């Protein structure tokens, strides 16, 4: 149980009316109703039966409760203005740490013989510990600030009641027979998707084959607010544009290069014209999501086939495809490229938890994606369609339908809009 719940319970226990005999029996029905509205049924039951009143966060899922700053954290939380200063100090400390650490390592290699040298080593050792302690403290404080940033995000989006009210509505549910912890706004939408799927033939291996990824720790975009869900996350990766924002740029580049080569060799298309990261030009959102699905699936199937073409047995198939290559590369040159891409994609895939890239990067059923995105279904934004940061094939969220349209970050002093979905 988080600290705030205990503190809240103690405070409420002290604030309870004296327990004179008969007092509780005198509560009138109207008073009970008023109290129920104010404090919830459990609190009133507690009052009537003489048991301690309900704790403020009772019934809140523990993972959701972890987003609500405790009383101690609220007292200790850096202000919005202090956060960038702390981040700056962290950076400066890090630079000093490297210098001090270097001197200590040198001294350890060649121990000082003079008193002065010994004193310097002693001072450096002390300073290193000081820096370590300070960095740990800054990290802790900034982590607390991220919880405050969630409150700030709610506020900036016009949502009343703060984190306590918001996260009381983030609860575990079952979606497609698997557990999910989401805000009630997303829960309602997921139920709409299930209602659509109920009328469709279920695939033999089910609608999903992996556990969902839903609520995350503070600071993880809409996932942190219980407003996002990843489906089959290990087999539908986040394919990032080569910006180096979410992962080392080399990873993104390796995958994009391989996809583009697959587009040339297998599909016989110009990758610039195919424009993997560009959304289909379609005003209707439902149609566009479907077109995006077809486009991603075409590229995914192409990559799957491409990665098989280095096998000796596939040489006739490979040779039949060479005619499309504008660079007129030989089969041997392609085998070399495919083998290199296979290794790069396997290593990168493992690093970014993308299981079995040889199976492509989209295994979500089209009916499932349609039920998740269609205005007659869940009406969610699929980041396989919205290509803001790349194509995050596993990810669905509420950005297009609200209520959170942007995320506040104190450290960077940014309010990042999530787009219109
Ligand atoms: Zn996600």
């Amino acid at each position: 149980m988080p600290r705030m719940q205990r503190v809240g319970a103690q405070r409420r226990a002290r604030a309870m009316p004296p327990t004179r005999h008969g007092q509780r029996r005198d509560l009138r029905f109207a008073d009970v109703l008023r109290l129920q509205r104010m404090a919830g049924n459990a609190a009133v039951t507690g009052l009537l039966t003489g048991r301690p009143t309900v704790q403020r966060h009772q019934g809140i899922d523990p993972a959701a409760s972890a987003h609500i700053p405790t009383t101690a954290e609220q007292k200790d939380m850096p202000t919005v203005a202090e956060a960038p200063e702390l981040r700056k100090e962290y950076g400066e400390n890090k630079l000093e740490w490297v210098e001090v650490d270097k001197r200590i390592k040198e001294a350890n290699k060649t121990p000082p013989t003079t008193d002065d040298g010994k004193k310097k080593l002693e001072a450096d050792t002390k300073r290193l510990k000081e820096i370590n302690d300070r960095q740990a403290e800054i990290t802790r404080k900034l982590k607390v600030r991220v919880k405050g940033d969630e409150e700030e995000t709610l506020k900036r989006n016009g949502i009343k009641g703060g984190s306590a009210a918001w996260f009381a509505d983030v609860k575990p549910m079952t979606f497609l027979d698997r557990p999910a912890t989401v805000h009630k706004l997303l829960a309602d939408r997921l139920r709409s998707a299930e209602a659509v799927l109920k009328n469709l033939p279920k695939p033999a291996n089910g609608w999903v084959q992996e556990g969902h990824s839903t609520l995350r720790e503070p600071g993880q975009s809409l996932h942190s607010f219980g407003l996002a869900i990843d489906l089959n996350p290990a087999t539908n990766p986040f394919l990032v544009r080569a910006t180096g924002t979410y992962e080392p740029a080399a990873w993104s580049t390796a995958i994009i290069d391989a996809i583009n080569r697959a587009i040339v060799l297998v599909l016989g298309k110009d990758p610039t014209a195919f424009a993997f990261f560009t959304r289909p030009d379609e005003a209707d959102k439902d149609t566009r999501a479907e077109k995006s699905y077809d486009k991603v699936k075409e590229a995914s199937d192409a990559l799957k086939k491409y990665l098989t073409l280095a096998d000796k047995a596939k040489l006739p198939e490979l040779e039949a495809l060479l005619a499309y290559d504008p660079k007129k590369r030989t089969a041997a040159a392609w085998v070399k490229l495919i083998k290199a891409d296979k290794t790069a994609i396997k290593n990168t895939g493992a690093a970014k938890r993308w299981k079995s890239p040889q199976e492509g990067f989209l295994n979500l059923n089209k009916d499932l994606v349609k039920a998740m995105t269609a205005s007659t279904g869940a009406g969610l934004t699929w980041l396989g369609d919205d290509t803001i940061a790349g194509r995050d094939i596993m990810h669905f969220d509420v950005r297009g339908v609200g209520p959170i349209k942007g995320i506040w970050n104190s450290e960077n002093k940014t309010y990042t809009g999530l787009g219109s979905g």
Side-chain angles (χ1 to χ4, degrees):
M1 183 194 291
R3 212 176 313 161
M4 190 175 184
Q5 294 179 22
R6 274 203 310 270
V7 171
Q10 282 157 8
R11 191 174 292 161
R12 248 168 293 282
R14 277 198 302 276
M16 269 180 68
T19 55
R20 266 186 291 122
H21 179 74
Q23 185 185 7
R24 286 188 186 88
R25 230 185 302 148
D26 294 336
L27 282 169
R28 282 178 299 126
F29 183 61
D31 292 323
V32 172
L33 273 185
R34 187 175 51 81
L35 277 166
Q36 276 179 332
R37 271 200 297 277
M38 276 169 61
N41 285 331
V44 175
T45 308
L47 198 61
L48 292 172
T49 56
R51 289 198 302 269
T53 50
V54 71
Q55 291 149 6
R56 193 170 160 205
H57 299 148
Q58 194 174 37
I60 297 190
D61 179 75
S65 190
H67 288 257
I68 307 168
T70 64
T71 309
E73 283 172 339
Q74 270 166 351
K75 270 192 209 149
D76 196 33
M77 186 181 291
T79 63
V80 167
E82 279 164 355
E85 291 301 313
L86 284 169
R87 178 53 68 199
K88 193 171 152 233
E89 186 194 338
Y90 189 94
E92 286 162 4
N93 288 347
K94 208 169 155 187
L95 292 177
E96 190 191 347
W97 189 96
V98 171
E99 288 306 308
V100 178
D101 183 61
K102 206 167 106 190
R103 286 202 300 271
I104 294 174
K105 281 197 177 118
E106 276 161 16
N108 284 338
K109 253 188 265 165
T110 326
T113 47
T114 62
D115 278 355
D116 191 41
K118 281 176 195 164
K119 260 186 204 155
K120 271 186 184 147
L121 175 59
E122 216 174 276
D124 276 343
T125 308
K126 196 177 152 220
R127 180 66 193 140
L128 199 74
K129 191 188 172 305
E130 271 170 19
I131 298 174
N132 284 339
D133 292 348
R134 180 64 188 151
Q135 298 294 73
E137 176 66 359
I138 292 174
T139 304
R140 190 189 64 75
K141 275 179 175 272
L142 287 175
K143 247 179 139 173
V144 173
R145 183 58 243 168
V146 175
K147 289 194 195 182
D149 282 3
E150 292 191 341
E151 296 243 46
E152 184 66 24
T153 293
L154 292 169
K155 210 168 98 191
R156 281 175 185 249
N157 284 280
I159 298 162
K160 301 212 162 64
S163 289
W166 181 266
F167 287 101
D169 285 330
V170 175
K171 290 178 180 154
M173 70 177 292
T174 301
F175 177 58
L176 303 176
D177 303 324
R178 289 168 191 268
T181 300
V182 295
H183 189 273
K184 70 173 181 193
L185 293 173
L186 178 55
D188 288 347
R189 291 182 173 276
L190 295 179
R191 282 187 201 105
S192 301
E194 276 183 333
V196 171
L197 293 173
K198 213 174 65 199
N199 299 319
L200 297 170
K202 191 175 173 177
N205 61 346
W207 289 113
V208 288
Q209 296 73 45
E210 302 169 30
H212 316 309
S213 175
T214 49
L215 180 68
R216 305 230 177 104
E217 60 184 22
Q220 307 265 321
S221 192
L222 286 177
H223 275 287
S224 299
F225 293 92
L227 291 178
I229 182 166
D230 293 341
L231 301 181
N232 282 357
T235 43
N236 296 272
F238 179 9
L239 303 174
V240 186
R241 285 176 202 258
T243 58
T245 311
Y246 293 92
E247 61 184 20
W251 295 6
S252 320
T253 313
I255 294 168
I256 292 162
D257 287 351
I259 293 172
N260 284 340
R261 278 192 271 273
I263 288 167
V264 171
L265 185 65
V266 179
L267 302 181
K269 291 182 179 175
D270 171 16
T272 312
F274 189 90
F276 179 72
F277 283 114
T278 306
R279 262 175 148 179
D281 190 13
E282 180 66 58
D284 179 65
K285 188 177 164 273
D286 294 0
T287 316
R288 191 194 58 224
E290 244 188 90
K291 281 191 173 177
S292 261
Y293 182 94
D294 294 341
K295 186 174 179 175
V296 173
K297 183 85 169 85
E298 190 183 9
S300 173
D301 288 347
L303 181 72
K304 185 178 170 179
K305 186 171 177 188
Y306 172 80
L307 294 175
T308 67
L309 291 172
D311 295 354
K312 275 200 182 89
K314 298 273 182 159
L315 187 61
E317 213 176 317
L318 172 61
E319 281 175 333
L321 291 166
L322 294 178
Y324 296 111
D325 180 11
K327 290 189 183 167
K328 300 292 166 212
R329 280 162 284 199
T330 62
W334 271 110
V335 166
K336 220 175 141 185
L337 277 174
I338 296 165
K339 280 184 174 166
D341 280 339
K342 225 172 153 174
T343 308
I345 239 178
K346 199 180 143 210
N347 294 339
T348 306
K352 60 193 271 163
R353 293 189 207 145
W354 171 18
K355 217 177 74 188
S356 38
Q358 71 276 8
E359 296 298 324
F361 44 80
L362 170 67
N363 76 1
L364 298 175
N365 181 287
K366 190 175 179 180
D367 282 334
L368 171 62
V369 172
K370 277 167 73 177
M372 295 293 277
T373 53
S375 40
T376 50
L380 299 173
T381 293
W382 178 39
L383 289 192
D385 171 35
D386 189 341
T387 54
I388 280 180
R391 288 196 188 267
D392 190 356
I393 317 280
M394 67 185 91
H395 182 107
F396 299 82
D397 68 37
V398 304
R399 71 186 58 204
V401 286
I404 295 183
K405 294 295 202 179
I407 306 245
W408 171 255
N409 179 306
S410 291
E411 278 186 45
N412 305 327
K413 287 192 205 161
T414 52
Y415 179 73
T416 308
L418 295 170
S420 55

